[in-house]
Amino acid sequence: HGDRTGRDRPDVISRRSAGAVSRGGNGIMVALADRVAALSDWQRSLLGFCLGVAAAGALPPAHALPLLVPAFTGLLWLIAAAPSPRRAALSGWWFGFGHFLAACYWVGAALLTDPDKFAWLAVPAVIGLSAGLALFPALAAVLVFTSKRTGFSRVVVFAVAWTAAEWLRGHILSGFPMNLIGTSWTVSEGMIQMVAVTGVYGLSFVTILAAAAPALVTEQRVDATMVKHWRVPALMIAVLAAIWIGGTVRLAVQNPSALEGIKLLIVQANIPQELKWRADARQAAMKKHMRMTLAVPSGTVSHVIWPETAVPYDVSNDPNLAAWLAEAAPEGGLLFTGALRRDRDSAAPRRLWNSLHAIDATGALRATYDKHHLVPFGEYMPLRSIMSAAKLTHGNIDFSSGPGAQTLQVPGLPPFSPLICYEAIFAGRVTSDGSRPGWLLNVTNDGWFGNTAGPYQHLQAARLRAVEEGLPLVRAANTGISAVVDPLGRYLGRLPLGTEGVLHSPLPRALGRTPYAVLGDWTMIIVLIISLGIVFWRAFRETS
């Protein structure tokens, strides 16, 4: 039992015998690290779970950033004291399980919108999702353990491994890059300017590096002093301060002007999800959007934007409906609305798309976009050929995927990149490879998640895309949070969650291509390669 708990391990004994002075002179931190090393297996698991929950507190909307320090310092202690790779993996897994359980609990709310069908799945779905996502922190923990690095090198390997695991989480299978650690900084306009260079993954890297640096205070050194042990944490504070100062200067220097003649109207009708697809309520919901739009004085609006599936019918095959919707389009302008779209060919198997249409004042569809990054289990069932379960969204037909990211051209506006729902959370994948758009248009329906953290987290993820790409973001959400964000991530206006209202806003000009818009994730990869190079160089010096 002594080997499992760490009480009799040589490294723990030697660290105790070294005393507080030889490990930095901070008795409290040394005592905490020793107590972590001496925990039994179940205590390690419980501590890892609690630390993961604490780290989730730094995410939107709470933004309790100081919690990141004990969370990631504690996790690094758990990994360092693990007696085997398996134990290190379990520490990482329990951390991840607690983290994602606390951060993504709102997934269960979506299953409660149709309780007769899906309520029984709410708890198992959240637990299953959290358990699966926890594999990525477990992988990071194994990589740190097997590197066998100590001191500053171990902290760097930890930050590299965590960032790489986040990137994998955002790309493997269909990807789920929600609640990346870098998103915690969306509370600060100055801090998030860094993503224009490195993307959100680079901001995650610096955050983990800073949050785990205090673990160095307990590292054993022959010539240890208080100053030397606190040198790296102090340096990381200086790095964070430099990022904030640089971002603040960027905000002060750059002030994109509004495009002339463009007056946007975003309609947030606040339709409850349980009513949205009811046969006796669909038309009323659509008419509510129309009524709210026409209540705005004419001449004050050039373009109107309704949210995802604001029109719960197939506009593309219904000229009468398109003509009725044309009443909401200002003269010389457009109505943008989410809607369903069905295949015209009745002879083929019926296909269905989650679409966005731009409709002019004559009822003509000037542009159409089909969502391509679909939500597994929500908009389609994976392995449909062997699974007969119903998808979460309305209807029995799985949605089909569109051709991919596009830049659409419409009269009276700069070209734009349409993003439906959670397509906006994927860093580096919100624009096409062709011509650069002048703005991002995100229509969504966060009514699935009620008054939970989900809509706040979704908004902040989308907001980071604006800063990464140097493009303004216009967001229309059924129940909120609708917003207009300039290319620097500043709000020009927003409507609160769970409220009915309209938002008037100009459209800001785009900035030039940011480094991230040019290089994408290669900026982050270069940072990670340089960091690993420093680790290898230090290892070479130690052995030479």
Side-chain angles (χ1 to χ4, degrees):
H1 184 69
D3 182 63
R4 286 190 300 108
T5 61
R7 291 189 178 93
D8 302 327
R9 286 175 53 206
D11 63 324
V12 175
I13 294 173
S14 65
R15 285 191 296 176
R16 286 178 174 171
S17 62
V21 174
S22 65
R23 293 170 62 197
N26 190 310
I28 295 176
M29 294 287 284
V30 169
L32 285 173
D34 284 345
R35 293 199 62 172
V36 169
L39 294 176
S40 64
D41 284 355
W42 74 266
Q43 290 172 327
R44 291 171 190 262
S45 299
L46 179 60
L47 177 60
F49 178 88
C50 293
L51 293 175
V53 172
L59 296 168
H63 292 292
L65 287 162
L67 290 176
L68 292 174
V69 176
F72 285 101
T73 294
L75 176 57
L76 194 55
W77 282 343
L78 284 171
I79 296 170
S84 67
R86 175 182 172 275
R87 188 62 248 177
L90 283 173
S91 295
W93 186 88
W94 277 107
F95 181 97
F97 183 60
H99 180 70
F100 292 113
L101 201 65
C104 299
Y105 72 93
W106 43 265
V107 170
L111 294 159
L112 298 177
T113 57
D114 192 350
D116 292 340
K117 282 186 178 180
F118 302 111
W120 66 276
L121 271 174
V123 173
V126 175
I127 292 175
L129 176 66
S130 302
L133 295 177
L135 294 173
F136 294 98
L139 173 62
V142 169
L143 292 174
V144 174
F145 182 89
T146 56
S147 73
K148 301 187 183 302
R149 304 310 303 153
T150 60
F152 175 67
S153 293
R154 178 157 55 201
V155 176
V156 174
V157 171
F158 181 47
V160 170
W162 182 279
T163 306
E166 279 197 341
W167 187 89
L168 287 173
R169 174 161 65 88
H171 291 78
I172 285 181
L173 300 178
S174 64
F176 188 70
M178 182 66 83
N179 290 328
L180 306 176
I181 291 299
T183 311
S184 303
W185 289 107
T186 49
V187 70
S188 168
E189 291 177 348
M191 287 298 296
I192 63 174
Q193 299 310 306
M194 179 181 175
V195 306
V197 179
T198 66
V200 66
Y201 295 108
L203 188 54
S204 287
F205 171 75
V206 173
T207 304
I208 298 298
L209 203 59
L216 290 173
V217 175
T218 62
E219 289 284 341
Q220 182 179 350
R221 291 183 182 177
V222 175
D223 59 344
T225 65
M226 175 71 81
V227 174
K228 286 186 177 181
H229 276 80
W230 282 104
R231 187 165 53 191
V232 173
L235 175 63
M236 290 313 304
I237 292 174
V239 169
L240 294 177
I243 292 171
W244 179 80
I245 292 171
T248 302
V249 170
R250 183 176 190 242
L251 290 167
V253 171
Q254 295 188 327
N255 189 25
S257 60
L259 292 164
E260 295 182 4
I262 298 177
K263 304 171 185 177
L264 303 178
L265 177 73
I266 299 169
V267 178
Q268 182 172 297
N270 196 35
I271 307 296
Q273 188 59 35
E274 57 269 22
L275 297 179
K276 189 170 176 61
W277 294 100
R278 263 180 36 183
D280 60 342
R282 278 194 252 178
Q283 286 194 15
M286 193 169 60
K287 289 177 180 178
K288 183 178 182 180
H289 285 86
M290 180 67 76
R291 187 167 59 251
M292 293 176 67
T293 301
L294 297 180
V296 176
S298 60
T300 62
V301 175
S302 64
H303 298 84
V304 176
I305 303 171
W306 292 359
E308 179 186 13
T309 59
V311 178
Y313 301 99
D314 180 9
V315 183
S316 61
N317 292 315
D318 190 341
N320 292 329
L321 177 58
W324 181 78
L325 290 170
E327 297 180 28
E331 192 65 34
L334 296 166
L335 164 67
F336 294 91
T337 183
L340 301 179
R341 189 173 77 84
R342 293 184 182 273
D343 200 327
R344 294 174 181 266
D345 186 0
S346 59
R350 298 299 298 273
R351 293 200 294 168
L352 183 68
W353 290 271
N354 184 354
S355 301
L356 171 72
H357 299 297
I359 304 171
D360 68 15
T362 68
L365 272 61
R366 304 303 296 266
T368 293
Y369 167 77
D370 298 323
K371 183 179 181 183
H372 71 279
H373 207 136
L374 303 177
V375 181
F377 304 101
E379 293 173 308
Y380 74 99
M381 284 299 297
L383 305 176
R384 169 61 74 186
S385 59
I386 61 175
M387 296 178 64
S388 59
K391 71 183 195 306
L392 183 59
T393 50
H394 178 77
N396 297 320
I397 305 174
D398 284 351
F399 282 100
S400 295
S401 178
Q406 298 178 35
T407 299
L408 299 183
Q409 301 271 356
V410 292
L413 286 168
F416 70 100
S417 179
L419 304 165
I420 298 178
C421 190
Y422 93 143
E423 288 182 324
I425 73 173
F426 294 89
R429 289 183 277 174
V430 295
T431 61
S432 66
D433 294 333
S435 60
R436 186 174 190 245
W439 56 296
L440 305 173
L441 173 58
N442 180 211
V443 296
T444 187
N445 175 26
D446 289 352
W448 290 100
F449 310 114
N451 187 19
T452 66
Y456 297 95
Q457 294 169 0
H458 194 186
L459 168 68
Q460 299 303 338
R463 181 176 165 224
L464 288 175
R465 304 294 84 78
V467 186
E468 286 171 345
E469 302 291 340
L471 299 172
L473 168 75
V474 178
R475 189 173 195 265
N478 169 38
T479 57
I481 306 165
S482 299
V484 177
V485 177
D486 79 0
L488 299 168
R490 296 177 294 200
Y491 293 108
L492 299 186
R494 59 188 290 186
L495 294 171
L497 178 64
T499 62
E500 174 186 323
V502 296
L503 175 62
H504 294 264
S505 177
L507 179 63
R509 296 181 187 275
L511 300 177
R513 287 182 181 269
T514 63
Y516 185 78
V518 175
L519 296 174
D521 289 336
W522 279 106
T523 55
M524 178 269 298
I525 293 170
I526 291 169
V527 169
L528 299 190
I529 290 174
I530 292 173
S531 300
L532 288 178
I534 293 172
V535 171
F536 288 128
W537 175 73
R538 288 171 63 90
F540 175 77
R541 284 190 60 190
E542 291 170 4
T543 57
S544 60

